[in-house]
Amino acid sequence: MFKRLLGDRPKNAVSREKTITEEELLKQLDMTKLPEHVAIIMDGNGRWATRRGAPRSFGHRAGVNALREIVKLSVELKLKYLTVYAFSTENWKRPHEEVNILMSLLVEYLNKEIDKLCANNVRIHPMGILSELPEKAREAVDMAIRRSNNNSGLVFNVALNYGGRSELLMAVQEIGQKIISGYIKVEDINDQVIADHLYTAGQPDPDLLIRPSGDYRVSNFLLWQLAYTELWLTDTMWPDFGRKELLQALLDFQLRERRFGGLLHN
Ligand code: IPE
Ligand code: IPE
Ligand code: MG
């Protein structure tokens, strides 16, 4: 009875069966109904490595490989925006060695991938407090921005030293400054003004948020922007998250009924 009341559609209606092929998943996908903006919390690298008796750094390296594949598929599918959570404002709490490894992997990734990313018309847009990054990381990020700035394809937001609260705090401070200088009035502040002061200014909110690793939380990611985002959670650890998993998430997204607080239009 409760099942009837709650609706018959299982929570995740798209088969997560391992044997289904990528081609079969692709065939089911409606290319006219893809999300414009996909956001991903790339989580689970450490546990993936630990389960293999390997150091966490091994998991982070495998995580970079997963990212490479997901960016490639996003380009193939012509997604407009891809936002990945690479390093949070809270991740500085980790041991120095781990932070150093994450930073050097970032530098290595950007230096190695920039030619390919540019050849695929990808524009890299970092989000976060870049001034606090180590010099080498900052240089690599600056290089990636400079090189990809004029590209018009996929916007690739990389959340680096990013925190949703820190982003909102920064927006409040900037708006406050503009009020003091008489540039805007308190009564003129609205949703749009706030959105315009976030790292994602000018971009649509994510349609779909993917979190691998079996944890069911937002971890300070895109707190404003996720207001009506569809969530897709999986136990798969990020290094194992491949093309098939992204296709499954997209297929499931296509079954969702988004209401934005209103009523369904038939
Ligand atoms: C995600 O994997 C990478 C970053 C947070 C930088 P984790 O390192 O958080 O892996 P788990 O969650 O400990 O497994
Ligand atoms: C979120 O993962 C941040 C990134 C993936 C970069 P965490 O591993 O930091 O999140 P918690 O601590 O499990 O919430
Ligand atoms: Mg984690």
Side-chain angles (χ1 to χ4, degrees), residues 23-262:
E23 288 67 36
E24 282 166 330
L25 290 167
L26 255 175
K27 237 185 275 161
Q28 290 174 41
L29 199 64
D30 181 346
M31 298 300 279
T32 67
K33 284 192 187 136
L34 287 172
E36 265 200 297
H37 188 167
V38 174
I40 308 179
I41 300 176
M42 304 189 290
D43 195 27
N45 297 348
R47 279 164 285 173
W48 181 91
T50 307
R51 281 175 198 172
R52 284 162 176 74
R56 291 175 61 84
S57 58
F58 186 64
H60 292 315
R61 196 164 272 284
V64 175
N65 292 336
L67 175 62
R68 214 174 269 127
E69 280 305 308
I70 292 310
V71 174
K72 192 160 165 253
L73 181 54
S74 303
V75 169
E76 287 167 26
L77 294 172
K78 299 193 172 58
L79 297 185
K80 295 208 172 95
Y81 300 90
L82 174 70
T83 301
V84 299
Y85 205 0
F87 192 90
S88 77
T89 45
E90 288 73 37
N91 287 147
W92 299 107
K93 294 177 193 162
R94 297 187 180 199
H96 273 308
E97 311 85 76
E98 182 164 346
V99 170
N100 287 344
I101 281 161
L102 286 165
M103 292 299 157
S104 42
L105 278 172
L106 167 75
V107 174
E108 189 184 318
Y109 172 79
L110 290 173
N111 287 331
K112 267 196 185 163
E113 292 297 305
I114 191 66
D115 287 343
K116 210 177 353 152
L117 290 168
C118 284
N120 284 305
N121 206 14
V122 174
R123 186 155 69 86
I124 296 162
H125 177 251
M127 315 197 311
I129 308 172
L130 303 180
S131 58
E132 289 176 3
L133 294 178
E135 200 183 331
K136 282 222 166 84
R138 234 170 34 231
E139 281 169 8
V141 170
D142 286 346
M143 172 283 293
I145 299 172
R146 209 175 46 246
R147 293 266 322 263
S148 68
N149 207 18
N150 292 324
N151 295 342
S152 55
L154 176 74
V155 175
F156 181 26
N157 294 315
V158 184
L160 270 175
N161 193 19
Y162 172 88
R165 288 187 173 180
S166 135
E167 180 182 40
L168 285 166
L169 179 65
M170 180 195 74
V172 170
Q173 287 172 339
E174 278 179 17
I175 294 168
Q177 279 303 335
K178 287 183 184 170
I179 292 169
I180 291 168
S181 53
Y183 188 65
I184 50 173
K185 293 201 216 82
V186 171
E187 54 272 31
D188 291 337
I189 301 171
N190 55 26
D191 282 13
Q192 191 59 49
V193 169
I194 295 173
D196 288 346
H197 287 81
L198 303 178
Y199 296 117
T200 46
Q203 303 185 13
D205 287 340
D207 301 293
L208 175 65
L209 172 73
I210 296 172
R211 181 164 191 155
S213 89
D215 282 328
Y216 297 171
R217 55 177 172 264
V218 171
S219 299
N220 202 14
F221 194 37
L222 304 173
L223 297 181
W224 173 274
Q225 298 90 332
L226 293 179
Y228 275 102
T229 302
E230 295 293 326
L231 310 178
W232 198 78
L233 309 166
T234 173
D235 289 341
T236 302
M237 297 290 150
W238 175 247
D240 286 331
F241 191 97
R243 298 169 67 94
K244 272 168 56 172
E245 282 72 21
L246 179 57
L247 291 171
Q248 273 164 331
L250 294 173
L251 279 167
D252 197 66
F253 170 81
Q254 294 188 334
L255 297 173
R256 307 282 178 97
E257 290 164 349
R258 301 185 78 187
R259 292 187 288 279
F260 299 97

